[in-house]
Amino acid sequence: MTSPPRPDDAHPYLRAASAGIRHHTRTLALAEQAAEPRAVVDRTHLDVLHAHLTVLHQLLDHLTDAARPPHPAAGRHLATAYTRLWQAATAVHDAFHLLPTPHQGADGAECHPERLPEGPPVLTICQRHLASGHTIRRKTTPTDLKGPPHGHTTHHAA
C-alpha cells in the first residue's frame, strides 16, 4: 500500500529551487553567527537572485490567470503578489547596477549590456528585466507598479 502523494511532490523543480534558496540563506546565517566575515554581495549573486525572481514572476502570472475565473478573490491576491514580486525584481536590478564590476570603481554601470566591460553575455540581467517588464506592463497599470501593497482583506471560510 502506498502513501498518498505529498502536495509538494507535484512541483519537484519548485521544491528543489526553494531548497537551494533555504540552504544559501542558512549558510549565510551560520557564517554570520560564527562571526565570519560577511559574505560579499556581488553582481553574480544579484544576477542569480534576479533570475529566480523573474521565474517566480512568470509562475505567479500563470497561477493568477488560472485562479481568476473560478476564484476571483484569490486571483486578486495573486495579482497583488505578482506586482510586488516585480517591484522586488526591479529593486534587485537597481542594486545590481550600484555594485562595481571587476573592471570599474564603485559608480556602477548603466543598463547597457552591450557596453559592459566583460561584454554582453547571452542573457544579461538587463535583458531579462526588460523582457519581464514588457509582460507586466501589459497586465498592470503604472499606478499599481508604484503603489504600496494593498491591504489584506482575506476572509477565511469556516
Side-chain angles (χ1 to χ4, degrees), residues 17-129:
S18 297
I21 291 170
R22 281 192 304 272
H23 172 74
H24 187 71
T25 303
R26 273 194 309 271
T27 301
L28 289 175
L30 290 173
E32 206 169 275
Q33 288 174 355
E36 293 178 13
R38 287 195 170 259
V40 176
V41 176
D42 60 15
R43 291 178 132 212
T44 303
H45 279 104
L46 295 185
D47 186 30
V48 172
L49 180 59
H50 186 270
H52 279 283
L53 290 172
T54 55
V55 170
L56 284 172
H57 191 253
Q58 291 171 348
L59 177 61
L60 264 176
D61 184 28
H62 294 297
L63 293 175
T64 301
D65 288 346
R68 274 193 176 136
H71 308 288
R76 283 191 300 274
H77 282 285
L78 289 173
T80 299
Y82 174 79
T83 302
R84 299 308 163 242
L85 195 54
W86 168 253
Q87 291 171 332
T90 298
V92 169
H93 174 257
D94 293 346
F96 174 90
H97 287 292
L98 295 175
L99 294 177
T101 67
H103 308 288
Q104 79 184 87
D107 293 340
E110 289 186 34
C111 190
H112 297 286
E114 71 282 0
R115 291 192 279 167
L116 292 174
E118 62 269 19
V122 175
L123 180 64
T124 66
I125 188 171
C126 300
Q127 292 167 329
R128 186 184 320 113
H129 198 69

Side-chain angles (χ1 to χ4, degrees), residues 82-84 86-87 133 136-137 140-148:
Y82 174 79
T83 302
R84 299 308 163 242
W86 168 253
Q87 291 171 332
I136 194 156
R137 285 181 180 86
T140 313
T141 68
T143 304
D144 287 338
L145 292 176
K146 294 183 191 261

